[in-house]
Amino acid sequence: MTKSNNILTEMNDRSKEVFQRVVEGYLQSGEPVGSRTLTRSLSENLSAATVRNVMQDLEYLGLLDSPHISSGRIPTQIGLRMFVDGLLEVDGLEITDREKLDGTINENSNDIAGALDKIGSALSGITQGASLVLSPKQESEIEHIEFVSLAHDRALVVLVFSNGHVENRLFKPPLGQTPSSLKEAANFLNSIMQGRTLSQAKEIIKQEISIRRQELDSLAAELVENGVVFWEAKGDRQERLIVRGRANLLASEAEEEELERIRLLFNDLERKQDIEEFLDLTEQSDGVRIFIGSENKLFSLSGSSLVFSPYMNSDKKVIGAVGVIGPTRLNYGRIVPIVDYTAQLVGKLISDRS
């Protein structure tokens, strides 16, 4: 049991209700909640002075904060975490939200990338936050590989997969490469990679190059050895993260400090060349998870909250995730079932199209 949960179990009913009403009022309005406002919604008939005393005790426990001189309070990050873990009432999925998400699926289309883009746009529109969709990793077998020289310091590797998917990836080749060395390297790789996935090919390349190095000239061998980095597809992970609805985070009447945090968030999303943290969160998760503020290293500087859920293929293997990111003042009770349903929808889409 976490420290915040221990605090919750030790609180009396009065303190618990005051705390819950403060958080719910803040999440709804974004404004500090005052004692007089609370007296109108509490089940017990209490004076404003009594409510203020309870709020002061909650502030002492680190659950509430006073942003201004006024008597109004807002929840701290610890308070929000305790509320989400112990007091959050999750709403049912609204029919209109379900219909908007279902409407993104075209039964006659095999364009998974296009469908995920539409789902991301719908998710951001429904939640009024920025949506994140981590698309599945390409795990089909390789059918053919080819290198194309574009300039002395730029080349293209074309990967053709057994399911018809084609990927073109730019890379910087080792110095001195020639058309013949590119062709020789491609022939070598085709001989060992055909019928294997990219993740399988990585280890095979390392093994085969050490055994059959004498079959290649030095330039082709160098290209194959250096080529291990683009089998790992460093840029692929960035391309897998679809972000929609950034403008929603700027639409509210945010203060300058909050706008600066949102700019930091945008920079994170734009510059991230390696989204290991998000991938790790996905693989470790089971069901919807909520990260508030600094709890998630990936977006900690922006002080944003992330609600996300992994989705699985027909073999019940986690292959990606969907989520919503926004200020800590998210309507968690409404967003949790939306994210949960979206993850199920994407999982079914992937399974049906496989």
Side-chain angles (χ1 to χ4, degrees), residues 51-68:
V51 173
R52 277 196 297 273
N53 289 335
V54 175
M55 293 166 76
Q56 286 172 356
D57 291 340
L58 293 169
E59 188 172 354
Y60 176 76
L61 290 172
L63 303 178
L64 299 182
D65 191 20
S66 305
H68 307 294

Side-chain angles (χ1 to χ4, degrees), residues 33 59 115 140 143 157 173 189 202 240 338:
V33 180
E59 188 172 354
S140 293
E143 189 170 288
V157 57
L189 290 170
K202 179 184 172 184
R240 288 177 61 201
I338 292 173

Side-chain angles (χ1 to χ4, degrees), residues 27-59:
L27 293 180
Q28 185 175 15
S29 69
E31 298 293 331
V33 180
S35 56
R36 292 191 181 280
T37 302
L38 287 178
T39 57
R40 295 192 290 268
S41 63
L42 295 173
S43 58
E44 190 179 356
N45 188 15
L46 300 175
S47 68
T50 301
V51 173
R52 277 196 297 273
N53 289 335
V54 175
M55 293 166 76
Q56 286 172 356
D57 291 340
L58 293 169
E59 188 172 354

Side-chain angles (χ1 to χ4, degrees), residues 152-154 172-178 181 218-220 222-223 226:
H152 72 280
D153 61 347
R154 200 155 50 105
K172 186 176 182 179
L175 291 173
Q177 290 296 321
T178 64
S181 65
S218 59
L219 287 175
E222 188 179 3
L223 177 60
N226 280 278

